[in-house]
Amino acid sequence: MRSDYKEGFYCKCCGKFHGELPMSYGSPVPDYVYDIPLEEQESRIEMDDDLCIIDDEYYFIRGCIELPVIDGEGPFIWNVWVSLSEANFNKTIENWDIEGREEELEPMFGWLSTSIPCYPETINLKTMVHTRPLGVTPYIELEPTEHPLALEQSNGIQMERIKQLAEELCEQDEQDY
């Protein structure tokens, strides 16, 4: 094993060593956006950095799946999209800019709407969306199952696994996958 491997990772795409290990990755849109033809997206999708509505029928919120790091500083974060019911989405919007919103909103059920690479399929894993204070992205809690991502959320992730993810995902703009 290379002695400098502990500090960073070797990218399998470019073959270069990167001295800093990314501690978060994210998806810019819910995966369902990719099912909509490019020429129809503008008329069918209403979206900003945190919220998305498709066809005035499907509602999504961006949040963080945080994985505790067992042998290093963390957490390791997957920025993901989760679908919400229309009622829960509307509650979220009504409280979006209100101080103390985390006290007003109970955790909300949602379906994970991001296919996270390096895992078995993650689309439609059951989640609970926990609203946090203004300026803080919601926390996404996965239903406890035997899915590797759910196990990593409950048991933690090791730095070696984070390096493996970095090597597989390569150096991408803004850590989007």
Side-chain angles (χ1 to χ4, degrees):
M1 182 179 289
R2 299 171 215 150
S3 61
D4 55 359
Y5 185 74
K6 293 177 183 171
E7 299 295 321
F9 70 100
Y10 281 92
C11 179
K12 291 182 179 178
C13 294
C14 69
K16 294 180 183 173
F17 178 78
H18 299 276
E20 190 170 329
L21 194 60
M23 292 299 287
S24 69
Y25 292 92
S27 179
V29 297
D31 275 32
Y32 300 101
V33 166
Y34 301 120
D35 295 336
I36 299 171
L38 195 55
E39 62 274 6
E40 296 176 19
Q41 288 184 4
E42 189 173 327
S43 65
R44 295 177 57 191
I45 301 170
E46 183 181 341
M47 186 171 169
D48 64 20
D49 290 341
D50 299 302
L51 303 167
C52 177
I53 303 171
I54 297 176
D55 295 329
D56 293 322
E57 186 177 352
Y58 305 102
Y59 305 89
F60 304 90
I61 188 168
R62 188 175 61 87
C64 299
I65 296 174
E66 298 178 0
L67 309 179
V69 179
I70 297 168
D71 55 351
E73 292 187 31
F76 179 83
I77 298 171
W78 291 108
N79 289 298
V80 298
W81 290 87
V82 172
S83 67
L84 292 177
S85 68
E86 182 177 9
N88 282 336
F89 188 84
N90 288 335
K91 282 184 210 172
T92 298
I93 296 298
E94 289 167 13
N95 289 280
W96 192 253
D97 294 319
I98 297 176
E99 195 74 42
R101 66 186 186 176
E102 69 278 10
E103 302 297 325
E104 296 299 316
L105 294 173
E106 294 290 323
M108 300 170 279
F109 177 80
W111 297 99
L112 188 57
S113 300
T114 301
S115 185
I116 301 176
C118 306
Y119 290 93
E121 186 55 70
T122 57
I123 292 283
N124 289 330
L125 290 179
K126 294 178 181 179
T127 70
M128 293 301 286
V129 177
H130 297 265
T131 303
R132 298 198 277 195
L134 285 178
V136 181
T137 305
Y139 174 74
I140 307 302
E141 176 187 13
L142 296 169
E143 176 184 55
T145 66
E146 292 301 310
H147 191 283
L149 183 60
L151 291 172
E152 286 178 347
Q153 187 176 44
S154 71
N155 301 330
I157 187 172
Q158 294 196 355
M159 291 301 294
E160 191 62 32
R161 170 75 170 134
I162 295 170
K163 288 177 189 175
Q164 176 190 33
L165 292 169
E167 290 170 350
E168 292 298 318
L169 295 173
C170 302
E171 190 74 7
Q172 298 180 27
D173 292 344
E174 301 177 34
Q175 275 63 53
D176 289 340
Y177 44 83

